Every structure is written in C-alpha cells, then in structure tokens.
C-alpha cells in the first residue's frame, strides 16, 4: 500500500454518537447502524439516558425530537426531515430490548408529545 495515498481516521468517541434530531432521518438511521456495536448512539428523554441500538425510517412528521407515535412495532420520533422508528433501545442500567417489550412495561414513559433532548 502506498503510504502517500493513505488517510488518517481519528478514533471514534461517544460524543460523536449523540443523536442530533434536527438532522434528516436518513442520516440518523445510517449513523445508528454505523455506531453499532460501538459507540452506541444515544439521546436523553426527560433527563434519562437512552441508547439506540436499531432504527428504521418512519413515515411521520413533527418537531425534531418529538415522539409522534408509540406501539409494539417501535417508537416513532420526528427528525429534521422525516422520522425514525426506533426498534431496539437500552435504558440506563438495563439491557438492550426490542421496543415492544419496553412499551409493554413503560408505556407512559414513551407517550406521544414527549421530546428527546
């Protein structure tokens, strides 16, 4: 390999994995895939840390970071353009779970209208 053509890739840090909900949903979905398994993408909901392990593109619109809908299929969150359906999350002190399991036990925590920071 020609060293003159090589480029340096800096070490990843956890702050790079913080979700900025003003970004387009397509960008955030790719970011979540890129930062799995390390560093896991994360955000804050009502002061509590939430790690996001998996997501797919949603179909809703709203204020960036606002929860649009929640059901057993996922948690739909508005982005700068479009929305993301979060399908696998990890709450502080817990293990990664499919959103359906979290929704069954903590429905009020993910009520539509609440906003991620």
């Amino acid at each position: 390999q020609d060293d003159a053509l090589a480029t340096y890739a800096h070490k990843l840090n956890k702050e790079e994995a913080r979700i900025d909900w003003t970004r387009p949903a397509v960008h955030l979905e790719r970011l979540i895939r890129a930062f799995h398994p390390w560093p896991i993408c994360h955000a804050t909901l009502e002061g509590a840390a939430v790690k996001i392990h998996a997501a797919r593109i949603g179909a809703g619109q709203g204020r960036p970071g606002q929860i649009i809908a929640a059901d057993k299929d996922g948690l739909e969150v508005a982005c700068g353009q479009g929305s993301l359906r979060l399908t696998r999350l990890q709450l502080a002190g817990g293990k990664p779970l499919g959103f359906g399991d979290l929704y069954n036990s903590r429905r009020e925590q993910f009520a539509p209208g609440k906003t991620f920071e």
Side-chain angles (χ1 to χ4, degrees):
Q1 179 175 344
D2 185 0
D3 288 337
L5 298 175
T7 57
Y8 177 76
H10 69 279
K11 184 176 178 180
L12 296 175
N13 65 50
K14 289 184 180 183
E15 195 51 41
E16 288 179 284
R18 182 155 188 76
I19 296 288
D20 176 4
W21 297 104
T22 61
R23 309 279 294 185
V26 171
H27 173 81
L28 293 178
E29 189 267 340
R30 291 175 183 160
L31 194 71
I32 290 166
R33 282 187 291 130
F35 286 147
H36 193 271
W38 193 92
I40 301 293
C41 285
H42 59 279
T44 306
L45 180 62
E46 295 185 327
V50 177
K51 292 182 180 180
I52 303 165
H53 288 262
R56 63 179 188 266
I57 303 296
Q61 293 287 333
R63 191 175 69 245
Q66 183 180 31
I67 295 174
I68 299 170
D71 57 33
K72 292 181 181 185
D73 292 329
L75 179 67
E76 187 132 2
V77 182
C79 302
Q81 282 182 325
S83 67
L84 275 182
R85 184 160 285 267
L86 310 180
T87 57
R88 189 165 181 81
L89 302 176
Q90 181 178 0
L91 302 180
K95 61 182 181 177
L97 295 170
F99 185 73
D101 296 329
L102 285 172
Y103 186 67
N104 287 336
S105 63
R106 299 175 185 248
R107 194 170 294 211
E108 67 284 343
Q109 187 174 354
F110 301 106
K114 292 189 177 187
T115 304
F116 278 92
E117 300 165 15

